[in-house]
Structures are given as C-alpha cells and as structure tokens.
Amino acid sequence: MVYALGFVLFALGITISIALHECGHMWTAQATGMKVRRYFIGFGPKVFSFRRGETEYGLKALPLGGFCDIAGMTALDELAPEEIDRAMYRQETWKRMVVMSGGIAMNFLLGFILVVILAIGWGLPRFDQPPATALGNMSCAAQQNPDGSIQPCSGAGPAQRAGLQRGDIVKSVNDVKVTTWKDFQSETQKQTGPFTYTVERDGKTITIPVTPERVMRYPEGGGAGREVGAVGVGQDFYEPVKYNVLSAIPASASFTGDMFVRTFQSLAQLPQKVTALWSAVTGGERDPETPVSVYGASKIGGETAERGLWGVFILVLASLNFFLGAFNILPLLPLDGGHMAVVLYEKVRNTIRGWKGLAPGGPVDYLKLLPLTYVAVVIGGAYMVLTLVADIVNPIKLF
C-alpha cells in the first residue's frame, strides 16, 4: 500500500513539475505582452477546460506532459488579425529568450526548493563519500528470515574479532581484487572457511585473516534462501547534514551547483548509455547509472516511500527537475533550446546584416528545419522507448 502511494505521489510530482515548466513559459509570455491562447495539462481527448481572460485552461486525458500555446511561436502559425502584433516571432530577442527559458528556469527553481526542503527536513547528502569498499559499522553476523527481516543477535562479529576497523578500505578478498561494495559482498559470501582481507589503513596495506560465520540470506521478493559467509560489517558512509532555515539557503545553493555539474555530466553521457540499456533489455545486469523513464522514476519513488526514505524520494524528484531543465537546454528542435538557438541565429544574422547596411532578414523558415526536427524526435522517442522497456523488464534496484 505504501509502495503504491509512493509510486502515485512521485508520478504526481513529475506531472506537477511538467505543469510548472509550462507555467514558466505561460507566465513569462503574459508578462512580456504575448498572447497565450491555451494552457493544458496532458495530451489526447479533453477532459474539461475553462476560459479566463484570453486563455483557455484545461486538462486532457493522458497526463504525460502538457503544453502552452503562445500565438505566433513560429511564422508558420495561423494568426487572427488581432494577434499579429503580439505574435511571439515578431517580438524583441530578449523577450523571446525570456519566454523560451522560462520553463527551464522553473524546473531549476523547483529543484532548488526541493533541495532546501531536503536540507531542513532530512539533511543534504555529502558527495565526498568514503571509497566504495570502506568498512563501516560492525556487529554480529545475523541470520535472515524468509520474509527479509533480520533475527536478533548479540556479541562481536567475525570482523570485530579479526581486528578490522571502521574506515579500513578493502582492496582484495582472498587475493581477489574488489572495487565495489557488491564485489566485496559477493566475494565474502563465497567464503566457507578462514580467508584474508587485504586492506588499506592509514596509508599502509595490511593483510587480516578472518573466519566467517554461515548465515541464511533470501532474495528480495521471496524465493529459496542460501547459506553464505558473513562477517558482520556494513558499508561506510557519511551521514547527511541537516541545516536550519537560514543556513539551508547557502548550503542548498552550493549543493545545487554540484548537482548542476553532475546533471550536465550525465547528459553528456546519454549516448554512451545506449549499449548499457540494450544489455539490460537483453538480459544483462542493469547499470544503476543508466537513465530511467517516468515509470522507472516512479517505481524508485514507490520503493523509497515503502522504506520510509522520504529524503531520498525528494532528492530523486529534485534530480529529475534538474535533468528536465538541463535536457531542454539542448539546441535541438522541438526542445526549448532548439527554439532559443533559432532566436539567437536570427539576432546574429540581423546584426551582421546591419553592419552591411542591409535590412533585417525574415523569420527562419521552420519548414526547412523539419527534417532535423523529425530526426531528433525519432531518435529521442526510440531512446525513451528503450529506457521504458529496460525499466519494465530489468529495473534499477536501489535496495
């Protein structure tokens, strides 16, 4: 029940994010004197609508996005006589740039607000986390029940008895090199008798013998259990840092800056992720760094809610808004960045023509850009379908 609630809430959060993105376009267009004819949430058949002033507001049956119909977004739009002077393509460059960037700015603003909420309510995670195989808290090696719960246990565990310490960085397990926590777990669980960890401690490399205990582990979602080796140790990590209302603003600004860098890095890596997505669809292991669809993101939202990790829920939603904003900056039609590139081209072209004593040129012919637009739509659509299929058949598992 909690999972379903989290799934729906996250999907609603995405819908609100898209709606506010379109509000960014609408409000800036209205503020700069342009005519907004329609503002709708969703696509497909109309559920209802109402008119306020010169704008029709409404909801459509498929909540998969939204749109803001500004009169004269391009010179191809049909205009009523009273709309000609207010047509978007006839306005000054700065007004058109403000309107096209309004949606992007709204996503960034919403992401920042969510980060501030996170900072005050749950704390901001630290990006300077310990190495992936650094050892954290240690305890006894507990048995697991078939339902996934852990049986109580007491006393020191194998890791503590062996002299391992928090902060030790494991380099190899029984001479098998490990670089991720998953590698560390997998190699440790294979051990049936005494073995050795090679660890880095205070800049020195030491070898520590450990005798594991045999415990039962069960796969998530049910299934047959198996007996594995365990030493009673968790992964090291730095706790999120909480802030008060005043200190949260500068801390969130700094955190948002780091998020921007990571978001644009992820955006640049999108073409490289096609192979990883295809591998996930065809039965390979899902790379947790691959992109997710709206369904996949909502599924993650449901899983975090189910475990009471509402801070992670908010962080994922904030990350999605940063990504939506960054993605729309790309200079490709029909994205906002593509329209902005056209506006800037017209400005540069007319400036050069002015230097030559020529009159400004006419609006860019969008019909000539249609082939490139279709290519971008087809490639983007195929990428979205591939991501959706991967999220259905081989979803990312955070837990």
Side-chain angles (χ1 to χ4, degrees):
M1 181 64 183
V2 177
Y3 170 84
L5 175 63
F7 186 99
V8 172
L9 283 176
F10 199 91
L12 180 61
I14 295 174
T15 301
I16 293 173
S17 298
I18 295 173
L20 288 174
H21 175 98
E22 296 302 324
C23 280
H25 293 309
M26 177 178 67
W27 291 334
T28 50
Q30 292 171 335
T32 52
M34 302 179 199
K35 180 179 179 180
V36 179
R37 294 185 288 209
R38 294 182 298 162
Y39 172 84
F40 272 79
I41 302 302
F43 296 101
K46 181 168 67 176
V47 177
F48 73 87
S49 70
F50 63 92
R51 181 170 293 278
R52 178 169 295 172
E54 60 187 9
T55 305
E56 180 186 11
Y57 301 87
L59 176 69
K60 297 206 170 189
L62 302 176
L64 302 177
F67 65 92
C68 172
D69 177 18
I70 303 172
M73 285 190 66
T74 74
L76 299 177
D77 285 359
E78 293 186 8
L79 298 170
E82 67 274 10
E83 295 176 338
I84 294 176
D85 289 339
R86 300 174 65 192
M88 183 173 175
Y89 76 88
R90 295 170 61 93
Q91 305 304 309
E92 297 176 65
T93 299
W94 72 267
K95 290 184 178 182
R96 297 167 68 188
M97 290 295 290
V98 166
V99 172
M100 295 315 305
S101 61
I104 297 170
M106 184 61 73
N107 282 128
F108 288 155
L109 176 61
L110 181 56
F112 177 74
I113 292 172
L114 289 170
V115 169
V116 172
I117 294 172
L118 179 66
I120 297 172
W122 292 269
L124 296 179
R126 293 174 54 175
F127 289 119
D128 58 334
Q129 290 294 328
T133 56
L135 302 182
N137 292 330
M138 300 181 189
S139 65
C140 54
Q143 297 284 345
Q144 186 181 30
N145 296 315
D147 63 1
S149 61
I150 298 297
Q151 296 181 15
C153 66
S154 61
Q160 291 170 301
R161 293 196 295 267
L164 288 163
Q165 299 177 12
R166 178 167 189 166
D168 286 346
I169 303 170
V170 179
K171 296 296 185 180
S172 63
V173 180
N174 238 17
D175 296 325
V176 177
K177 185 178 180 181
V178 293
T179 57
T180 68
W181 189 254
K182 186 175 181 179
D183 294 339
F184 168 81
Q185 285 183 312
S186 176
E187 291 302 321
T188 297
Q189 289 179 349
K190 292 178 183 178
Q191 309 306 318
T192 58
F195 67 101
T196 59
Y197 283 133
T198 301
V199 305
E200 181 181 302
R201 179 189 294 172
D202 299 328
K204 298 179 181 179
T205 300
I206 58 177
T207 300
I208 299 178
V210 185
T211 301
E213 295 180 7
R214 304 298 291 176
V215 299
M216 291 299 297
R217 292 291 181 262
Y218 295 87
E220 185 177 0
R226 62 190 180 98
E227 192 177 61
V228 300
V231 297
V233 66
Q235 187 177 14
D236 195 17
F237 67 96
Y238 299 140
E239 294 283 351
V241 181
K242 293 186 70 173
Y243 299 87
N244 60 38
V245 175
L246 291 178
S247 62
I249 301 300
S252 298
S254 176
F255 185 85
T256 298
D258 291 334
M259 289 287 290
F260 277 171
V261 172
R262 292 169 179 267
T263 298
F264 283 103
Q265 287 175 342
S266 299
L267 198 60
Q269 294 171 1
L270 280 182
Q272 305 170 23
K273 298 299 182 181
V274 173
T275 303
L277 284 170
W278 181 254
S279 174
V281 169
T282 54
E285 185 175 352
R286 180 70 183 270
D287 180 357
E289 297 297 322
T290 49
V292 294
S293 63
V294 171
Y295 168 79
S298 299
K299 187 174 184 298
I300 291 173
E303 291 173 350
T304 55
E306 187 176 37
R307 290 164 173 79
L309 302 175
W310 292 103
V312 178
F313 181 99
I314 291 176
L315 179 60
V316 174
L317 188 57
S319 301
L320 182 66
N321 271 278
F322 290 138
F323 183 83
L324 285 174
F327 185 74
N328 269 286
I329 292 177
L330 293 177
L332 300 170
L333 290 171
L335 300 177
D336 296 336
H339 291 285
M340 293 165 70
V342 169
V343 173
L344 291 175
Y345 164 77
E346 291 180 351
K347 179 63 175 178
V348 172
R349 179 203 61 189
N350 290 339
T351 299
I352 294 174
R353 289 176 65 88
W355 292 342
K356 294 179 179 180
L358 301 174
V364 165
D365 186 354
Y366 271 77
L367 287 176
K368 293 180 180 179
L369 299 176
L370 280 180
L372 290 176
T373 304
Y374 290 148
V375 169
V377 169
V378 169
I379 293 176
Y383 200 106
M384 291 173 64
V385 170
L386 179 62
T387 304
L388 175 61
V389 173
D391 287 336
I392 294 173
V393 304
N394 194 355
I396 289 175
K397 296 178 180 178
L398 294 183
F399 308 101

